[in-house]
Amino acid sequence: EGKVSKVLVLNASYEPLNICTWRRAVVLLMKGKAEQIENNGKEIYTDLPLPTVIRLRSYVKIPYKEISLSRRNILHRDNYICPYCGDKRHDLTIDHIIPRSSGGFASWDNVAAACLRCNVKKGDRTPKEAGMPLNTTPRRPMSHVVFEISKHAGAAEYDWKKYVIGA
């Protein structure tokens, strides 16, 4: 079991749908409700490799769900990387690209995770006024399913990368 106990579940259309345990994935496979797409080569039972990615045989409709604009979600979206200097750190602040004093407001395309040094240097100015261009443009995450799955994808889920953008 160990590190690879999580399995990526894809919809019939190959869109990421969920994460489940390897045991749940095996049940879905044995019942014929899913097919194995990727595995890690280790066998659970005779002739059944441990799945890492499965695909449902029938399509499941996913309801639209808004992703909340929170500090944690901003840090995750930006991968803990400062958009000004490119440093990856875990002690980032939240910066308003267009400052609130200039009419900017909290929205996915106006906030970014920034290191304290760059946030202080930029101050109450726009990136252009401060001479600090953004390396990446902040955007609203596309799908709440992909966003949630990418939060849990780590090095053990290498097979997921081609299915989950941003993982």
Side-chain angles (χ1 to χ4, degrees):
E1 208 169 325
K3 281 185 175 182
V4 189
S5 59
K6 294 186 261 181
V7 177
L8 176 64
V9 180
L10 302 177
N11 214 337
S13 59
Y14 287 88
E15 297 168 277
L17 187 63
N18 199 358
I19 300 169
C20 71
T21 64
W22 70 265
R23 284 190 166 103
R24 174 73 179 135
V26 168
V27 168
L28 290 169
L29 291 169
M30 293 180 113
K31 285 185 169 183
K33 293 182 182 257
E35 67 176 321
Q36 189 166 191
I37 302 295
E38 306 275 350
N39 66 69
N40 69 358
K42 296 178 186 169
E43 288 187 352
I44 309 168
Y45 306 113
T46 309
D47 298 330
L48 182 60
L50 185 64
T52 54
V53 180
I54 63 171
R55 183 180 77 92
L56 297 179
R57 293 192 186 274
S58 58
Y59 184 80
V60 176
K61 188 172 189 225
I62 309 165
Y64 175 77
K65 185 178 174 187
E66 192 74 29
I67 302 167
S68 64
L69 181 66
S70 67
R71 175 182 165 75
R72 175 185 273 173
N73 285 343
I74 293 164
L75 293 172
H76 173 69
R77 178 205 60 191
D78 295 349
N79 201 24
Y80 294 87
I81 296 173
C82 176
Y84 301 108
C85 67
D87 284 354
K88 183 168 185 152
R89 2 179 5 121
H90 284 274
D91 59 345
L92 297 172
T93 61
I94 301 300
D95 176 52
H96 286 75
I97 311 299
I98 298 171
R100 287 186 283 188
S101 62
S102 301
F105 53 94
S107 67
W108 281 106
D109 54 357
N110 192 48
V111 291
C115 69
L116 185 60
R117 190 181 53 131
C118 288
N119 205 347
V120 169
K121 182 179 171 187
K122 178 181 164 282
D124 198 23
R125 301 175 290 176
T126 65
K128 187 175 184 177
E129 292 168 346
M132 298 172 65
L134 291 162
N135 293 327
T136 57
T137 305
R139 288 185 170 43
R140 172 183 296 277
M142 295 302 283
S143 158
H144 80 277
V145 174
V146 173
F147 190 71
E148 290 302 317
I149 290 171
S150 68
K151 284 182 182 180
H152 302 288
E157 290 80 18
Y158 175 78
D159 291 343
W160 298 10
K161 297 247 184 249
K162 56 184 145 191
Y163 305 102
V164 182
I165 300 163

